[in-house]
Amino acid sequence: MTVLTTTTFNGHNNFTVIIPARLASTRLPNKPLADLAGKPMIVRVAEQAKLSGAELVVVACDDFSIMEACQKHGITAYLTSPDHQSGTDRIAEVAAKLGLPDDAVIVNVQGDEPLIEPALITATAAQIKRGVPMSTAAHPITSAEEAFNPNVVKVVLDKSGRALYFSRATIPWNRDGFAVSKDVLPPDYQVFRHIGIYAYTQAFLQKYSTLEVAPLEQSEVLEQLRVLWNGYPIAVHVTPETPMAGVDTPADLLRVQQYYRDNQVA
C-alpha cells in the first residue's frame, strides 16, 4: 500500500474525499462494518484515503452504527438522509454541509474499496482543471474475456484524455481484428476498463442531481453517461496498473481478509 506526500491543486491542497456508505447490501449485509484485521471495512477505506494527501476525509453514511464505528477510530462521519438514490447524492448532501467553496475538488471513493491505492485518489483529483468539472479513472484491458464481458465497463478517450463514451459493449470495435478472432485481442489494440472513482468540483457535484436523465444512461445503466449527454466533459486518468478488486460478495470479503492476514496489516 502506497504512502504519499501532500499534492498541490490550484496553488493549495484543495481536495476532500467523501466516502459514501450504506448499511443495506443485497449480496453482503452490513458490508461497511465487515471486519478486516480488527477494523471495520469503512475505517480501512478511510485510512487509505487519508494517505492520498487529501485535506479532509469524511464518511457519508445512512446508519448510526456506521457513524459510531467511524468515530471510534477517529474518522469523521456524517449521517445523511436514508432516501438517497445513489452514493453521489449522499456525498452531495455532506459536501453541502461542509460548506466547501464552489471550486473545491471532492473525490468520491467507494466504501467497499479497502485496498484502493492512495495514488489513484490523488491522480483522479488532479484531473480537475478549469472547464473540466468531473474526472474518473481507467486502466488498460489485456484479456479478450474482459473486453467482451458486459459487466466490465469500457471507456473510449479523445486525444486530450477526456471520455468520449462509456459502454458495457466492446469499444472501440476492432473490425478487422475481431473478424479473425475474438479469443485474443489484436496487436496494438487499446481498450480501457473504467474504474469507479470520481472527482468533481463542489459546484458541479451540487448540480449533478439536477441534470436531465439521459436515455443512454437508462439503456446502458451507467450514471456517468448523464454527464456526457448533458454536454459536460469528464477527464480520465489512465493508470497502467490493474487496481485491487473491491468487496461485493462474501467471497470477495474472504479474499480481502486473507490479503490482510498475508500482509500482516495492523
Side-chain angles (χ1 to χ4, degrees), residues 82-95:
D83 301 324
H84 288 309
Q85 296 300 306
S86 71
T88 308
D89 294 332
R90 196 174 306 284
I91 70 167
E93 179 186 335
V94 170

Side-chain angles (χ1 to χ4, degrees), residues 11-242:
H12 61 292
N13 186 34
N14 186 34
F15 79 98
T16 294
V17 173
I18 304 181
I19 306 165
R22 188 169 63 93
L23 194 64
S25 173
T26 304
R27 291 183 286 184
L28 188 58
N30 300 326
K31 182 164 62 171
L33 302 178
D35 181 77
L36 294 178
K39 293 180 182 179
M41 183 188 306
I42 191 64
V43 171
R44 293 293 188 184
V45 176
E47 289 176 342
Q48 284 296 95
K50 284 186 173 184
L51 299 177
S52 68
E55 188 175 40
L56 180 65
V57 175
V58 300
V59 170
C61 58
D62 70 344
D63 192 272
F64 183 75
S65 63
I66 301 175
M67 186 168 69
E68 188 176 47
C70 289
Q71 291 173 341
K72 181 179 177 182
H73 290 87
I75 304 297
T76 302
Y78 288 84
L79 201 60
T80 66
S81 167
D83 301 324
H84 288 309
Q85 296 300 306
S86 71
T88 308
D89 294 332
R90 196 174 306 284
I91 70 167
E93 179 186 335
V94 170
K97 287 179 179 177
L98 291 172
L100 298 171
D102 283 352
D103 65 346
V105 176
I106 299 156
V107 184
N108 177 354
V109 174
Q110 298 301 308
D112 56 5
E113 298 281 351
L115 302 180
I116 189 169
E117 281 289 339
L120 182 62
I121 300 171
T122 311
T124 303
Q127 298 300 309
I128 301 294
K129 300 177 177 69
R130 187 179 299 277
V132 181
M134 182 172 169
S135 64
T136 188
H139 71 87
I141 290 175
T142 57
S143 77
E145 182 181 0
E146 278 203 336
F148 288 97
N149 184 346
N151 294 317
V152 173
V153 178
K154 276 70 70 173
V155 59
V156 171
L157 311 178
D158 68 12
K159 67 178 181 180
S160 64
R162 298 180 184 181
L164 287 170
Y165 192 64
F166 297 86
S167 182
R168 298 181 183 279
T170 308
I171 56 172
W173 183 260
N174 192 295
R175 187 195 65 173
D176 295 339
F178 293 153
V180 175
S181 173
K182 295 187 180 70
D183 295 325
V184 180
L185 296 182
D188 302 323
Y189 169 66
Q190 276 198 322
V191 56
F192 295 106
R193 178 177 187 158
H194 176 232
I195 302 169
I197 181 174
Y198 298 98
Y200 328 78
T201 61
Q202 163 76 317
F204 188 72
L205 176 60
Q206 299 305 324
K207 176 185 281 189
Y208 181 89
S209 63
T210 70
L211 296 178
E212 185 179 352
V213 175
L216 294 172
E217 166 192 359
Q218 294 175 313
S219 178
E220 295 260 18
V221 194
L222 297 174
E223 274 189 26
Q224 62 270 35
L225 288 172
R226 183 185 312 181
V227 178
L228 298 181
W229 191 76
N230 280 280
Y232 295 93
I234 301 176
V236 182
H237 167 69
V238 176
T239 174
E241 301 171 352
T242 302

